[in-house]
Amino acid sequence: MVQLKGADRARYIQGVFARIAGRYDLMNRLMTAGQDRAWRRLVVEWAALPPGGRLLDLGTGTGEIAFEALRRTSNATVVGADFTLEMMRLAQAKGLTRTAPVWVAADALRLPFPDDTFDTVTSGFLMRNLADVQAGFAEQQRVVRPGGRVVCLDTSPLPDGPLRPLIAFHLHRVIPWLGRLVTGQADAYAYLPASTAAFLTPAELQAIMEATGLRQVRYRRYMFGTVAVHVGVKA
Ligand SMILES: C[S@@+](CC[C@H](N)C(=O)[O-])C[C@H]1O[C@@H](n2cnc3c(N)ncnc32)[C@H](O)[C@@H]1O
C-alpha cells in the first residue's frame, strides 16, 4: 500500500481514515501512552501564531491541533482542512460545545487558498501519507505569508540503537494487534508501521523543507526518535 501513487494512494488513505475515524483519538492515546498531546502542544508553540493571526492545520483529521491552536491564541482564525470527511465530521462534533475552527474539505497537494493567506501552516501525521512530500511543502509554503512558519509533526523510521528491537516489536506487533482490538481494522494499523518505515529520516525531511525554500529549519525528536517535529520559516 505504501507503494501506491497518485489518485490510488489518495483513495487508499481516505479509506483507511474513514474506517478508523471513530476510534482514532482513543488509539492515539493508547499507542503513545498519552504523549501525542505534548507533541501537538509543541507544534502550536512552534507555530508562534500572533494574537488575531491565521493558522491552517492541514490533514486536520479530528482537529486536535486546530483546537489546541484556538485554545492558545486569542482572536485567532483557525482553519482545519482534510480530504477525509469522516475524520472532519468528528472534529466538527467536538466544536458543537466550544469555539471551533472553520472546517474545509481540501487536498493537501492542491490547496484552495490564495498565496500568502496564513501566518502559519501546521500538520500532524500528514506528510508521510502524501504521494509527493516536496510538492506538499511547496503548497504549504505558497499559502503562508513571507516570514510565516510551516510546522510538521510526523513519525520517523526507527533509528539504530539498543532499543531498536523493542521499538520494532511495539510498532510492528503491538500496534496492529491493538488496532484490531480497538478498531477491528488491523490492516489500517499495519499501514502505520509500513508508512513510517518508508518515510524520510528527520534529516532528510529537513533537507526537503530547505529545498522548497524554507529557512531556519530545525527539528526536535520524541519517543526514542520515532517522532519528530520540524519547523521552517518562509523567506
Ligand atoms: C494520521 S491523521 C492525522 C490527524 C491529525 N492531524 C492528528 O494530528 O491527529 C492523517 C490525516 O491526514 C489526512 N490526509 C492524508 N492525505 C491527505 C491529503 N492529500 N489531503 C488532505 N488530507 C489528507 C487524512 O485524511 C487524515 O485525516
Side-chain angles (χ1 to χ4, degrees), residues 13-14 17 24 28 40 57-65 81-84 87 106-109 123-126 128-130 153:
I13 286 164
Q14 281 174 316
F17 287 106
Y24 176 80
N28 273 347
R40 290 191 183 81
D57 181 41
L58 258 187
T60 195
T62 57
E64 293 283 286
I65 292 174
D82 201 297
F83 72 2
T84 307
M87 292 285 275
D107 183 346
L109 294 172
S123 66
F125 308 114
L126 163 75
R128 90 187 117 83
N129 297 301
L130 299 186
L153 159 68

Side-chain angles (χ1 to χ4, degrees), residues 29 36-47 49 55 57 60 62-74 76 78 94 98-101 103 122:
R29 297 296 108 76
D36 60 307
R37 288 200 170 113
W39 309 334
R40 290 191 183 81
R41 278 198 295 272
L42 182 72
V43 169
V44 174
E45 190 186 305
W46 279 9
L49 186 64
L55 179 143
D57 181 41
T60 195
T62 57
E64 293 283 286
I65 292 174
F67 280 111
E68 182 68 22
L70 265 187
R71 256 195 303 277
R72 296 260 219 122
T73 322
S74 54
V78 174
K94 291 177 188 174
R98 42 184 164 156
T99 313
W103 308 112
T122 58

Side-chain angles (χ1 to χ4, degrees), residues 120-204:
T120 185
V121 176
T122 58
S123 66
F125 308 114
L126 163 75
M127 296 309 289
R128 90 187 117 83
N129 297 301
L130 299 186
D132 186 338
V133 175
Q134 184 157 348
F137 279 126
E139 192 58 350
Q140 292 174 29
Q141 200 184 172
R142 181 183 69 73
V143 301
V144 166
R145 65 164 171 80
R149 294 185 175 200
V150 171
V151 189
C152 164
L153 159 68
D154 218 314
T155 52
S156 311
L158 296 193
D160 287 330
L163 289 179
R164 190 184 160 99
L166 206 63
I167 303 168
F169 182 77
H170 179 72
L171 206 58
H172 294 283
R173 300 274 178 219
V174 177
I175 288 179
W177 172 80
L178 201 59
R180 190 173 60 235
L181 201 70
V182 174
T183 69
Q185 303 287 338
D187 62 323
Y189 282 92
Y191 169 72
L192 168 64
S195 59
T196 295
F199 195 45
L200 303 157
T201 64
E204 288 168 343

